[in-house]
Amino acid sequence: MTIFDIFTNQLLNGIVLGSFYALVALGYTMVFGVVKLLNFAHGELYMVGGFAGFLVLSFLAPFIGAGWFGVAVSMVFAMIAIGFLGVVIERVAYAPMLSAPRLSILITALAVSLVLQNGMLALTKGQYVPFGSALGFGGINLGKLFISYNQMILVTVAALLMLALEMFVSRTQYGRAMRAVAVDKDMSRLMGINVNAVIAVTFFLGSALAAAAGTMAGAFYGSLWYFMGFLIGLKAFTAAVIGGIGSIPGAMLGGLILGLLESFATQLDLRGMGIPFKVGSEWKDVFSFSVLILILVFKPTGLLGKSEQERM
């Protein structure tokens, strides 16, 4: 396999992985932008969303099949269910704490994360759960590059969801209200904006996108696990920071960058340069987070983030 073949394969793998990161990172950046809250339970909403999609597909598969159509229908139901779960979590756990010290609400977010994670641990006994989809293995060959239909569908759906969110935020009344609340809550109230409703919509949309990513991940990789939300939640938060926390385009860019970094890191081989070092999969996180540190050293607000002075 030539260097070009390796490059194109890793590019494709990085785009697929980055799509998952971007969808979850959008929830982080939306909630932080509007509420200034780091919702560390967001990765667990991704995990619970995957299990919700699995349950719906298990029920509907005898009627509509377990292919991409069945997965798509299951994903929609999971997005609605987890969207409302996100709103309930915000109303019960976060809303009473918004005036509390930042450390208190941060601990609350970690507690919600542990409740969801350990609740699923108790339900599944810590076992991997087969997702039960039947997506097939077809695709197209471009030279030595094989692109599966599953990869194409996954990236397309992720791109459409991100585009829909961008259009919602930039072109709808609620989207304009979200941007106003993100700038100044008190002034927004004086202008007649229902701030609590805007926050609820923000949590619904962010949680729904996490559920979409969880369902697609379960279908694509074939299994679910109670701990699957922890690492992707951490990496999605990292992607949001790389792009600029609070920036929707930044979350998309950060997810893509992180996915590509992880993908190409597994192929970093310096032995041809006389350096006895080759990065394997066990080093990819070291490489990716080192790049994060470098980015933040030179651009502390992230690639597309703005400082307080730039916002004014």
Side-chain angles (χ1 to χ4, degrees):
M1 184 175 288
T2 65
I3 294 178
F4 178 76
D5 295 328
I6 295 174
F7 174 84
T8 52
N9 273 286
Q10 296 308 112
L11 178 64
L12 178 61
N13 293 334
I15 291 173
V16 172
L17 186 59
S19 298
F20 290 124
Y21 291 157
L23 284 175
V24 183
L26 283 169
Y28 272 115
T29 207
M30 288 172 63
V31 170
F32 182 84
V34 173
V35 190
K36 301 300 182 287
L37 163 67
L38 294 177
N39 182 18
F40 284 117
H42 198 65
E44 274 57 51
L45 290 174
Y46 160 89
M47 177 268 295
V48 176
F51 279 99
F54 158 74
L55 290 175
V56 175
L57 184 64
S58 299
F59 177 76
L60 294 179
F63 307 101
I64 61 176
W68 270 114
F69 178 72
V71 172
V73 174
S74 302
M75 183 183 75
V76 171
F77 278 103
M79 290 174 69
I80 295 171
I82 304 306
F84 281 113
L85 175 61
V87 174
V88 170
I89 290 173
E90 186 274 327
R91 290 288 90 190
V92 173
Y94 298 152
M97 303 287 294
L98 290 181
S99 59
R102 294 290 93 184
L103 182 59
S104 297
I105 195 169
L106 178 62
I107 293 173
T108 301
L110 292 173
V112 172
S113 171
L114 290 172
V115 167
L116 295 174
Q117 185 183 112
N118 286 278
M120 194 57 67
L121 168 62
L123 290 172
T124 63
K125 309 301 181 186
Q127 301 298 313
Y128 282 88
V129 177
F131 193 84
S133 57
L135 304 184
F137 301 97
I140 59 175
N141 288 295
L142 298 176
K144 293 186 178 180
L145 175 65
F146 176 77
I147 306 176
S148 71
Y149 295 133
N150 295 335
Q151 290 172 318
M152 289 188 286
I153 293 173
L154 187 149
V155 172
T156 300
V157 171
L160 289 175
L161 288 172
M162 289 185 276
L163 177 62
L165 176 65
E166 176 63 25
M167 293 181 65
F168 175 86
V169 171
S170 62
R171 299 188 182 185
T172 67
Q173 182 177 352
Y174 259 109
R176 289 189 289 271
M178 287 170 60
R179 286 181 283 147
V181 171
V183 174
D184 193 322
K185 291 185 180 62
D186 294 330
M187 184 61 69
S188 298
R189 288 190 177 94
L190 293 175
M191 295 172 61
I193 295 174
N194 188 335
V195 172
N196 289 336
V198 170
I199 293 174
V201 170
T202 302
F203 269 85
F204 181 91
L205 292 175
S207 302
L209 289 174
T215 302
M216 289 193 294
F220 185 74
Y221 294 114
S223 66
L224 301 166
W225 191 37
Y226 82 98
F227 204 62
M228 63 184 275
F230 174 78
L231 190 57
I232 197 168
L234 180 61
K235 291 184 176 181
F237 173 66
T238 302
V241 173
I242 289 175
I245 191 75
S247 169
I248 289 177
M252 301 178 193
L253 177 63
L256 182 60
I257 289 174
L258 187 60
L260 291 172
L261 283 174
E262 287 197 9
S263 180
F264 281 106
T266 61
Q267 296 296 323
L268 183 60
D269 190 347
L270 303 181
R271 291 175 298 182
M273 302 169 59
I275 302 174
F277 182 74
K278 182 181 186 300
V279 175
S281 59
E282 68 277 7
W283 282 90
K284 61 183 176 63
D285 291 340
V286 175
F287 178 79
S288 301
F289 286 106
S290 297
V291 172
L292 165 66
I293 294 171
L294 289 175
I295 290 175
L296 295 182
V297 166
F298 292 100
K299 188 72 164 62
T301 58
L303 295 175
L304 300 184
K306 295 182 179 179
S307 64
E308 292 298 325
Q309 292 78 9
E310 291 173 320
R311 292 191 183 100
M312 298 176 62

